[in-house]
Amino acid sequence: MRHQLNNLRNKKMATAGVICLLLIIFMVAYRVSEQQVSGPKKQELTQVEVYRLQRGDLSKHISLTGQTVSDAAITLSPKYAGRVTAVNVQLGDKVTEGQILLVQDTGDLDIAIGQARAEAEAAGADAVTTQAGYYADYLKAEAAYDIQKQHYDRQQYLYSIGGHFPGCAGFGQGPVCDGQGCL
């Protein structure tokens, strides 16, 4: 049964293929016969007028109105926000590199610069005050160290010569004391 079904399908496919092939042949034959009946197409020629040119000056003046568009648009943006006090160029003027195009009001900037300078001077004064306080503390500590070192050296000397003081807890061989207390 399955074999008969496949044969039937193959026959249908073959029939459809033959019909398509015949249609294609018929269409090609029709086109060829149409071209033979109408003949080859003629090319239409364009008429051209020829003028002989001579060198001479342009004698006509043409006046036109319109708008021009630049090749590039450049956006100007200042470093600081503020008012523009003067514009040194007009629309359409040619400008060169480094040319001042406009002047900006710098009053606000001058105030800000003055405030920054005052803050810098205050910070400098604070630094001087801090440094003076540090140096004073350093000198005080150095003087206290020198006094204690002299005191220690004196006590070492007294100990080395055998100085004993009653009522003091000693170290090594005997106590070393001055009138204020023991070492």
Side-chain angles (χ1 to χ4, degrees):
M1 178 85 168
R2 183 182 278 179
H3 183 62
Q4 288 176 352
L5 219 74
N6 282 339
N7 277 340
L8 186 58
R9 275 190 201 150
N10 287 340
K11 284 181 184 179
K12 284 183 181 180
M13 292 292 269
T15 305
V18 168
I19 291 173
C20 286
L21 185 60
L22 287 174
L23 281 173
I24 292 173
I25 290 172
F26 177 73
M27 287 175 31
V28 169
Y30 180 74
R31 288 247 180 194
V32 169
S33 68
E34 265 307 300
Q35 287 179 355
Q36 288 177 355
V37 170
S38 66
K41 291 186 179 180
K42 295 182 180 179
Q43 291 182 346
E44 293 184 22
L45 299 176
T46 306
Q47 289 186 351
V48 178
E49 293 183 31
V50 179
Y51 293 98
R52 173 166 256 133
L53 297 178
Q54 295 178 354
R55 186 178 287 254
D57 293 333
L58 182 64
S59 60
K60 291 186 180 181
H61 178 73
I62 300 173
S63 214
L64 300 173
T65 59
Q67 293 181 340
T68 60
V69 178
S70 66
D71 291 338
I74 299 172
T75 303
L76 299 177
S77 57
K79 288 183 181 180
Y80 309 102
R83 282 186 343 193
V84 173
T85 57
V87 178
N88 298 335
V89 293
Q90 298 297 319
L91 184 63
D93 289 353
K94 288 187 177 184
V95 296
T96 59
E97 185 177 340
Q99 181 180 354
I100 297 174
L101 304 178
L102 55 93
V103 178
Q104 187 176 5
D105 181 21
T106 59
D108 296 338
L109 293 176
D110 293 337
I111 292 170
I113 290 171
Q115 287 175 342
R117 283 189 179 143
E119 289 173 4
E121 288 176 9
D126 287 345
V128 168
T129 302
T130 303
Q131 186 177 11
Y134 170 76
Y135 189 64
D137 290 344
Y138 174 76
L139 291 176
K140 184 178 174 182
E142 188 177 36
Y145 172 78
D146 288 342
I147 290 171
Q148 291 299 322
K149 176 111 172 71
Q150 288 174 358
H151 181 69
Y152 174 76
D153 291 341
R154 188 180 79 219
Q155 295 297 328
Q156 284 288 42
Y157 173 73
L158 290 174
Y159 177 74
S160 68
I161 61 170
H164 296 278
F165 299 94
C168 292
F171 65 98
Q173 296 178 353
V176 177
C177 297
D178 61 2
Q180 300 173 358
C182 299
L183 283 180

